[in-house]
Amino acid sequence: MIDKYEKKTCNGCKACKYICPKSAISYEIDNEGFWYPKVDYSLCVECGLCIKRCPDKTLRVSTKEQPDVKAAWSVDKSVRLASTSGGLFYELARTVLIRGGYVAGCVYDSDFKGAHHTVIHSMEELPPLMVSKYVESDTDGVYPTVRSLLEDGEEVLFVGSACQCAGLYAYLNKDYEKLTVVDFLCRGANSPKAHRKYIEYLEAAYGAKIKNLRSKDKRNGWEKFGQSAVFMNGKEYFADHGEDLRVVAYHYGNLMARPSCLDCKFKTLPRLTDLTLGDFWGIQASEVDDIDKGVSLLFINSQKGRKLFDAICDRIVFINKTIEDAERGNRAILHSASCNKNREAFLANLDNYPFDVLVNKYREWPRRGVRFYLGALKRKIKKLIEGGAQ
């Protein structure tokens, strides 16, 4: 059954739990902090549905279109600044909500030590869904909720990583006219246990519980984003993205990703989803109105996705682009992150050392990270020279 396969084939979507007709599947968390299926063989009737419909075992062949690529951003500057990239998710969600629909997406747990998927029905509930979380989101219970709404004739916008979207498709096992599915470009789902250790490290350093956490804080601009946290005692943490230890462990160290993310099966073109969102890294400032507020990368993958895009066109600015334009600044479209040889040691020692000690012990700066900083330095020097010549 499903729990007999290697861990590297499981993306943790939790679809199999709800596909099982006998409720024989639960989940256990391993020493790295990731959840995996466990079968109760006293209930299992060996029907094989958990394997037949597992998105990783029976990868769907996309029936979607080759993407129509856009660089885009919200005309509402406050929305754009509050969003991770250019505010496209907000505009998509807003449209569905004001039509009376529902939005399923990721929010932090109340203590910020984890994240989970939830379903909202009002604009007041939207802000917590807007920012990136950079930790694996627990989808437990969300798929049945989405199906129940769809069966009642409600409109639903579902947003998640490509594997979570594939899990939803696998569970539903049919198309719904009122369902629009959006994946975001993902570099890998990070260990919830490692994320929790990062939060505990910050709380110990600042002497209080976290009140708010923000990844990709744009106070210094979208291209120079940082990580920030506000604590119950009023203190505030801010670090440049190259100095924050979670970013170092994730983006430059490749120390925290789920095993399946190191060989992701869902980085395909065309995509499985109706729309795909991300940051349009590499776009030139001369093409964008106030680039420091952020720019979204958008793939329109289906006619259903185009219909929702058309509904937000009066609230966004967009530029037609090519897939080659998008790929130049974002390897995560088609490529998995490489595995750091120290990854297993890093995760195995989470219970033994503080987060900062582990990151500094095991991180390695890959060549791409060095190239990133050299490229940024060259661009900065060029901008200074061009400014002085004016």
Side-chain angles (χ1 to χ4, degrees), residues 100-253:
Y102 294 78
V103 176
C106 176
V107 296
Y108 279 121
D109 297 345
S110 59
D111 61 3
F112 295 93
K113 292 181 179 179
H116 62 279
H117 262 62
T118 190
V119 178
I120 65 168
H121 190 45
S122 69
M123 289 296 294
E124 291 74 23
E125 299 172 284
L126 182 53
L129 276 70
M130 289 172 60
V131 295
S132 298
K133 311 303 186 297
Y134 295 112
V135 59
E136 183 168 34
S137 175
D138 190 345
T139 57
D140 199 41
V142 75
Y143 298 153
T145 300
V146 168
R147 185 173 71 175
S148 178
L149 290 168
L150 293 168
E151 291 291 340
D152 288 341
E154 303 289 354
E155 180 180 9
V156 179
L157 176 70
F158 180 92
V159 182
S161 62
C163 59
Q164 291 170 337
C165 295
L168 175 66
Y169 285 135
Y171 168 72
L172 295 176
N173 203 35
K174 63 179 283 190
D175 188 34
Y176 288 85
E177 182 182 351
K178 290 191 173 182
L179 171 66
T180 305
V181 179
V182 182
D183 75 297
F184 54 82
L185 295 179
C186 176
R187 197 173 178 275
N190 289 322
S191 161
K193 183 176 181 179
H195 172 82
R196 185 173 69 251
K197 294 291 287 187
Y198 167 75
I199 297 301
E200 291 171 353
Y201 153 72
L202 286 180
E203 290 180 339
Y206 284 80
K209 297 295 184 182
I210 282 184
K211 183 179 181 181
N212 191 38
L213 180 67
R214 182 173 174 83
S215 297
K216 297 174 79 169
D217 186 310
K218 298 179 185 175
R219 67 183 67 183
N220 294 329
W222 170 63
E223 293 183 301
K224 297 172 284 189
F225 65 83
Q227 313 297 307
S228 66
V230 178
F231 299 85
M232 294 294 187
N233 58 8
K235 294 182 180 180
E236 184 176 358
Y237 163 79
F238 177 83
D240 175 81
H241 66 287
E243 298 173 353
D244 177 78
L245 291 179
R246 183 176 63 160
V247 175
V248 170
Y250 166 48
H251 192 76
Y252 301 114

